[in-house]
Amino acid sequence: TYNRHIVPGDGDCFFSAVNCCMRFLDPDWQHDNVSLRNLSLIQLEQDVYKNHQFYFDYLPNSTSDANHDPATIDSLWNIIKAKYQNPGQYADNDLMMATVRALNLDVQLHGGSNTLLNIEGRTTQNTIHLLYCGLQIDNNRGIHYDALIIM
């Protein structure tokens, strides 16, 4: 069973929920939402420059044979960074995956009483659990994450 820790619905709920879970796993955990977002952005930047072909959908009028020159990749990163760099900006799958890789952990997303998705990092010893409230749960409209702590 899990104890649900409700976090603010301020656009940083994914990072708030991850931070809440990590504080239970590691009492010395030092990240706040801003530093965790920045850590995730550093990882995402590495991912974009290493595997830029997977991110070309961010470019306007992108095609599968998009230009791979350094200026295009720099533009690509600037578009992605602008989407995610400010507090309160929604974390989607790309930023969530970067967070998982940056922290070397697994995330299980739960919806109600069901496990919706396992997001797996590299080799990990830590799994955190988040409640995805994209469904109508407890009068919470829209996409939101809360922390679930194993009892």
Side-chain angles (χ1 to χ4, degrees):
T1 62
Y2 301 96
N3 184 8
R4 179 180 178 184
H5 290 256
I6 297 174
V7 300
D10 57 4
D12 281 328
C13 60
F14 173 74
F15 296 109
S16 295
V18 170
N19 275 324
C20 181
C21 291
M22 292 304 294
R23 285 185 199 103
F24 278 89
L25 290 174
D26 179 3
D28 296 324
W29 180 254
Q30 296 296 314
H31 287 286
D32 61 13
N33 291 351
V34 171
S35 66
L36 182 55
R37 181 182 288 273
N38 289 338
L39 183 69
S40 300
L41 281 170
I42 290 168
Q43 178 65 50
L44 184 56
E45 181 179 19
Q46 293 171 3
D47 295 344
V48 167
Y49 279 95
K50 185 188 235 180
N51 298 305
H52 50 270
Q53 66 276 9
F54 296 117
Y55 298 93
F56 278 134
D57 287 344
Y58 285 94
L59 291 173
N61 304 319
S62 176
T63 63
S64 60
D65 59 342
N67 190 347
H68 294 226
D69 68 73
T72 301
I73 298 168
D74 288 343
S75 294
L76 172 64
W77 170 242
N78 288 332
I79 290 168
I80 293 170
K81 181 173 68 171
K83 180 178 179 179
Y84 298 123
Q85 69 184 352
N86 296 319
Q89 289 176 304
Y90 170 73
D92 68 6
N93 292 345
D94 289 332
L95 195 56
M96 291 170 65
M97 287 303 300
T99 305
V100 165
R101 285 189 296 277
L103 298 179
N104 193 29
L105 57 81
D106 292 342
V107 174
Q108 281 193 352
L109 292 181
H110 301 265
S113 60
N114 299 319
T115 299
L116 299 175
L117 180 65
N118 288 314
I119 304 172
E120 297 178 357
R122 297 177 286 247
T123 57
T124 181
Q125 298 176 7
N126 296 325
T127 299
I128 63 171
H129 302 267
L130 305 179
L131 177 64
Y132 173 68
C133 304
L135 311 171
Q136 184 77 22
I137 298 175
D138 295 337
N139 296 320
N140 185 350
R141 306 185 331 262
I143 298 169
H144 180 75
Y145 299 94
D146 284 331
L148 295 175
I149 306 300
I150 296 177
M151 302 290 292

